[in-house]
Amino acid sequence: MQTNGSWRATVLVAALAALLTALSACGSAEHGGGGAAGDRGVPARSRPGGPAAVRTTGLPGVGEGLRRRIPADSGQAVVVYGRDKDSADATLVLYTRRGSGWERTRGWPAHNGKKGWTVDHHLGDNRSPVGVYTLSDAGGVLADPGAGLPYTRDESFAAPRQWHESHWHDFDYVIAIDYNRVKGTPPNDPTRPEGAHKGGGIWLHMDHGSGTSACVSVAKEAMEYLLRTLDPARHPVIVMGDRADLTRSARRASATGSTARTAVTTGP
């Protein structure tokens, strides 16, 4: 039986662990930049207000270098079109594979890292990593909305209340982007296979109206749709980056153990 002293110590350790987990995730106490997301540089057929279903052979605006890193069995691709290298504004589009081509399903305004994008992400750089990553786990503060991906509901996802109130609901819903993490674990699992210096806790999560620390954020309606639509049997991936890096070949790309072995973790 635990003594009162040992019980209090256990509670303190658990509380500190929960806080460290939240702080190691995408959110940051200092969010800035951003503004309304725009469609500049995004193919017209991929814009949120465009046609509901347009079938293409390849993913619009994504060069062969990244397309060939998408696993052959992937039937769903979330593409994040960053406005430019140093912008926090983006557009997110979900595509579904139909036969030999891809069909646009839905699209929404989005935000990425407050300082833009990078092909060599490190902890604290406030840039989102360019590349192709699998999507395998989800969770959040709110109850499971009917997610296809394994969903972990836990109060430990809650943003610290010392953050600005506009960020308190950032992690009500999250989908883990498989960058420097162990697939098959909750999104807030702190394990970093490549080391803490490479960052981690990079998620799709709820938008607060401006740039993030490294994550991609969209409105609640978009998160609910993605959670209900992404199907682990279709091996969903996210292809993300600024418009220039998305279209280039992946000559400078390097692999990492946190993604599917057939995927790439950094762009050109």
Side-chain angles (χ1 to χ4, degrees), residues 59 62 65-67 69-71 77-81 85 117-121 128-135 177-179 202 216 237-242 245-250 253-254 256 259 262-268:
L59 290 171
V62 179
L66 290 180
R67 285 206 307 268
R69 299 311 199 273
I70 298 173
V78 175
V79 182
V80 182
Y81 298 95
K85 192 79 173 178
W117 297 89
T118 179
V119 297
D120 187 21
H121 175 66
S128 297
V130 177
V132 178
Y133 309 92
T134 51
L135 299 171
I177 294 171
D178 292 334
Y179 170 90
I202 298 179
V216 174
V237 297
I238 186 168
V239 184
M240 50 194 271
D242 59 284
D245 277 331
L246 281 176
T247 57
R248 291 178 188 146
S249 65
S254 61
T256 170
T259 67
T262 52
V264 64
T265 62
T266 55

Side-chain angles (χ1 to χ4, degrees), residues 158-208:
R161 285 311 187 250
Q162 63 264 35
W163 291 5
H164 190 277
E165 185 176 354
S166 62
H167 302 290
W168 287 359
H169 296 286
D170 282 7
F171 312 135
D172 281 359
Y173 292 130
V174 306
I175 298 171
I177 294 171
D178 292 334
Y179 170 90
N180 197 19
R181 69 178 300 269
V182 178
K183 293 194 291 184
T185 62
N188 58 358
D189 182 277
T191 307
R192 303 287 179 258
E194 297 175 78
H197 71 287
K198 290 294 289 180
I202 298 179
W203 302 338
L204 277 168
H205 68 67
M206 304 254 289
D207 191 57
H208 53 256

Side-chain angles (χ1 to χ4, degrees), residues 18-256:
L19 177 60
L20 289 173
T21 295
L23 293 177
S24 69
C26 168
S28 166
E30 297 179 0
H31 289 259
D39 290 329
R40 188 176 67 190
V42 179
R45 59 179 171 267
S46 304
R47 296 176 185 170
V54 175
R55 189 172 301 180
T56 60
T57 301
L59 290 171
V62 179
E64 180 60 27
L66 290 180
R67 285 206 307 268
R68 67 172 178 257
R69 299 311 199 273
I70 298 173
D73 60 357
S74 290
Q76 293 175 315
V78 175
V79 182
V80 182
Y81 298 95
R83 176 174 288 186
D84 59 51
K85 192 79 173 178
D86 300 317
S87 174
D89 295 341
T91 299
L92 181 149
V93 180
L94 172 63
Y95 293 93
T96 303
R97 193 189 291 273
R98 306 292 185 196
S100 60
W102 293 92
E103 183 175 283
R104 179 192 182 280
T105 305
R106 291 282 296 276
W108 304 268
H111 287 102
N112 51 265
K114 68 180 76 172
K115 290 189 176 179
W117 297 89
T118 179
V119 297
D120 187 21
H121 175 66
H122 285 81
L123 180 67
D125 65 13
N126 291 322
R127 292 179 179 270
S128 297
V130 177
V132 178
Y133 309 92
T134 51
L135 299 171
S136 53
D137 298 282
V141 176
L142 299 181
D144 184 348
L149 299 173
Y151 188 94
T152 301
R153 183 189 186 186
D154 199 306
E155 288 294 331
S156 66
F157 282 98
R161 285 311 187 250
Q162 63 264 35
W163 291 5
H164 190 277
E165 185 176 354
S166 62
H167 302 290
W168 287 359
H169 296 286
D170 282 7
F171 312 135
D172 281 359
Y173 292 130
V174 306
I175 298 171
I177 294 171
D178 292 334
Y179 170 90
N180 197 19
R181 69 178 300 269
V182 178
K183 293 194 291 184
T185 62
N188 58 358
D189 182 277
T191 307
R192 303 287 179 258
E194 297 175 78
H197 71 287
K198 290 294 289 180
I202 298 179
W203 302 338
L204 277 168
H205 68 67
M206 304 254 289
D207 191 57
H208 53 256
S210 63
T212 69
S213 292
C215 296
V216 174
S217 60
V218 289
K220 181 179 181 180
E221 178 236 354
M223 283 300 300
E224 289 176 336
Y225 184 89
L226 291 170
L227 284 165
R228 292 167 180 158
T229 304
L230 294 176
D231 181 357
R234 305 202 72 175
H235 308 287
V237 297
I238 186 168
V239 184
M240 50 194 271
D242 59 284
R243 55 178 177 165
D245 277 331
L246 281 176
T247 57
R248 291 178 188 146
S249 65
R251 284 187 295 247
R252 292 193 295 146
S254 61
T256 170

